[in-house]
Amino acid sequence: MSLFTFKRIPLYFDKISTRVSLHDMTLLPFVMIFFVVLNVTISLSELKMPVLSYGVLAVNIVSFLFMLALVAREKEMSRYGFLNFLYFFILIGLTVVNVNDIRNAIYNSIFIWFMLLTMRYYRHRMEMVLKCFTIAFTVCVWINFVHLVTHPLLWLVDDYKGATGYLFGNNYNQMGCRMMAALASNLLCLRYSRIWLVNMIVLAIVIVASLAMVGSMTSLSMILVFLVCCLLPTSKLRLTAICGLFAVFLLFQIFVVFNGRGLENNELAVYIVEDVLKKDLTFTYRTHMWESALKIIEESPIWGWGFADADWFKANMTAFAIGPHNFILSILIHGGVILLSIYIMVCSKVFKTIHPYLKIKNMQLLLLAVACLWVMSLFEMYPYTIMFYVLALLYYSHYVYDADKRNLTTE
């Protein structure tokens, strides 16, 4: 359903489309998707090849402009697309007003808008889109694994853990979200042929091995939870797991994260975390970071501070690492209640759209992947590109099953 319509604008693409059906192309969208996934998953600067880094960025920008022109020809914008556009338009505006990290705010927006535009334009060929994203993420996971094997100091020596050199997000704790996105993409391809099941199994082994090597325990634990949930035999068990994970996310966010260091004064919390779970009460000093983030949020709760970079966090937050190490807190820092409200609307639109499809096993497993990713995001500040990608994957996946219904009706 469309929210807006646009006047038709004569485009050069009109002439092209008379000779080539852009809707039917496969190679071009694959190339564009591959380079965008490469840019959002791998820190190309770590390869010490600036020409490659700038080249990939240039391809991403051109790909975005190309897809924007194609979608503009359809003269409409969905409500879901509008909410995503509004989110990042406001984020860029707030960043400009606060003179913060404007460049990366624009880059993040371009990457996410490209993903949304591609899924929108090829929504009736979601099989092709899903396979392209899966192949791209799989290649990136393998590149990261080879990099770890060939750079053993990154995981054999504990002193190097805080250093740079990691390809996925330039930090070992940033690997998990990108790997979960890879598994989620592959999950929807299982219906097409057995080769995707083989790829899923091999991919899972490589991911578990990679996370075990670097010792990213939160990511490893939740990915193992997700893989175990994939083996649950009944729909009822899977839905129970989904509800349980979302409940954990909400309760932990409200009663633990928003308390900051106040958790240390709660006797029951101390007993559960230290005696039952055998964990550090500060979650490796994260409660200190959450408390510091809450203080800076209180200074501008409505519209936040714009997209912040490392220098801004160092100057404005007194903590043990850069950033709040919590995705919801990072949203509040970037755009306050305004951006958080829009994010909630985006999530609501996604869940409302997929609700009629929750009896389908793969849709349940995809929702499980998102739930696990959200639990992981309680302890890390994951990039917008990954967090919004999995939501878009959920939202547009229903076109796969709509196509099945149309085919059955035709037959």
Side-chain angles (χ1 to χ4, degrees):
M1 185 177 293
S2 302
L3 180 62
F4 297 113
T5 58
F6 304 99
K7 291 183 179 179
R8 185 169 181 81
I9 303 173
L11 295 171
Y12 176 69
F13 296 104
D14 290 333
K15 298 178 181 179
I16 296 178
S17 61
T18 60
R19 290 169 291 179
V20 179
S21 176
L22 295 174
H23 275 288
D24 295 333
M25 296 184 70
T26 299
L27 180 60
L28 182 60
F30 170 73
V31 171
M32 293 190 297
I33 288 171
F34 179 83
F35 279 102
V36 168
V37 171
L38 186 69
N39 210 3
V40 302
T41 55
I42 293 181
S43 299
L44 295 173
S45 58
E46 293 302 322
L47 297 176
K48 309 300 181 184
M49 299 172 66
V51 175
L52 174 63
S53 181
Y54 286 116
V56 171
L57 178 60
V59 172
N60 289 180
I61 295 173
V62 171
S63 298
F64 161 70
L65 295 174
F66 181 76
M67 290 307 305
L68 181 62
L70 290 182
V71 174
R73 295 176 63 230
E74 296 188 345
K75 304 177 293 182
E76 62 183 24
M77 179 184 292
S78 67
R79 288 184 174 87
Y80 177 73
F82 172 72
L83 287 172
N84 280 270
F85 170 79
L86 183 64
Y87 184 99
F88 290 99
F89 181 78
I90 292 176
L91 176 62
I92 292 173
L94 292 172
T95 306
V96 172
V97 170
N98 288 282
V99 195
N100 225 318
D101 192 0
I102 300 172
R103 183 186 64 178
N104 282 314
I106 293 174
Y107 287 165
N108 274 265
S109 301
I110 285 175
F111 299 149
I112 293 167
W113 286 336
F114 166 80
M115 293 178 186
L116 293 169
L117 290 169
T118 303
M119 290 183 182
R120 173 70 182 175
Y121 187 75
Y122 292 106
R123 60 191 181 278
H124 299 307
R125 294 186 63 208
M126 279 305 296
E127 175 181 350
M128 180 273 295
V129 174
L130 293 173
K131 289 178 179 179
C132 289
F133 274 108
T134 300
I135 292 171
F137 273 110
T138 299
V139 171
C140 290
V141 168
W142 274 102
I143 291 174
N144 179 70
F145 181 69
V146 171
H147 179 76
L148 288 177
V149 172
T150 55
H151 294 77
L153 288 179
L154 292 174
W155 47 279
L156 285 178
V157 181
D158 289 338
D159 292 341
Y160 279 80
K161 275 195 171 183
T164 59
Y166 297 94
L167 284 188
F168 269 24
N170 202 23
N171 184 283
Y172 73 101
N173 280 326
Q174 288 291 320
M175 292 183 184
C177 65
R178 292 158 173 83
M179 293 172 172
M180 185 64 83
L183 291 172
S185 302
N186 199 139
L187 185 66
L188 289 175
C189 293
L190 296 179
R191 63 196 305 277
Y192 299 123
S193 70
R194 291 184 180 179
I195 191 172
W196 298 106
L197 176 59
V198 174
N199 187 69
M200 182 85 170
I201 294 172
V202 176
L203 193 63
I205 294 172
V206 171
I207 286 173
V208 170
S210 300
L211 293 173
M213 288 162 65
V214 299
S216 183
M217 300 314 297
T218 300
S219 297
L220 178 60
S221 300
M222 293 313 303
I223 284 180
L224 287 175
V225 167
F226 167 69
L227 293 174
V228 170
C229 288
C230 287
L231 301 177
L232 293 176
T234 66
S235 176
K236 185 176 181 180
L237 286 175
R238 290 189 291 271
L239 291 174
T240 300
I242 292 170
C243 293
L245 287 168
F246 279 119
V248 168
F249 171 79
L250 288 174
L251 294 174
F252 194 93
Q253 183 70 47
I254 294 170
F255 294 106
V256 179
V257 176
F258 286 150
N259 268 328
R261 292 181 65 187
L263 181 71
E264 299 168 27
N265 300 320
N266 187 312
E267 294 183 1
L268 178 60
V270 171
Y271 169 73
I272 292 175
V273 175
E274 291 188 340
D275 297 337
V276 177
L277 299 179
K278 305 296 182 183
K279 297 289 185 181
D280 172 19
L281 189 61
T282 66
F283 298 99
T284 319
Y285 301 109
R286 281 174 173 79
T287 55
H288 296 266
M289 291 180 262
W290 297 337
E291 182 183 47
S292 181
L294 290 170
K295 289 179 180 178
I296 200 68
I297 290 169
E298 289 175 359
E299 296 180 19
S300 182
I302 305 301
W303 46 75
W305 303 91
F307 195 85
D309 58 10
D311 292 334
W312 187 91
F313 282 122
K314 291 176 181 178
N316 293 275
M317 286 182 59
T318 55
F320 296 85
I322 297 173
H325 277 243
N326 178 272
F327 183 67
I328 298 299
L329 291 183
S330 69
I331 291 177
L332 288 170
I333 289 175
H334 294 161
V337 175
I338 295 175
L339 277 193
L340 182 59
S341 299
I342 299 175
Y343 182 72
I344 292 172
M345 286 190 283
V346 170
C347 295
S348 299
K349 180 63 177 175
V350 171
F351 293 130
K352 181 180 179 180
T353 301
I354 67 170
H355 185 265
Y357 303 86
L358 285 183
K359 292 182 180 180
I360 302 172
K361 180 180 179 180
N362 282 358
M363 289 293 282
Q364 295 172 355
L365 295 179
L366 181 57
L367 193 55
L368 266 169
V370 174
C372 290
L373 182 61
W374 278 17
V375 173
M376 291 158 58
S377 75
L378 289 168
F379 304 96
E380 297 296 334
M381 193 170 68
Y382 288 145
Y384 282 124
T385 48
I386 298 299
M387 299 302 288
F388 276 78
Y389 167 73
V390 293
L391 289 178
L393 199 63
L394 261 179
Y395 178 81
Y396 281 103
S397 60
H398 78 274
Y399 283 100
V400 173
Y401 302 100
D402 288 344
D404 288 347
K405 292 180 180 178
R406 287 195 300 270
N407 292 336
L408 289 173
T409 302
T410 303
E411 291 175 5

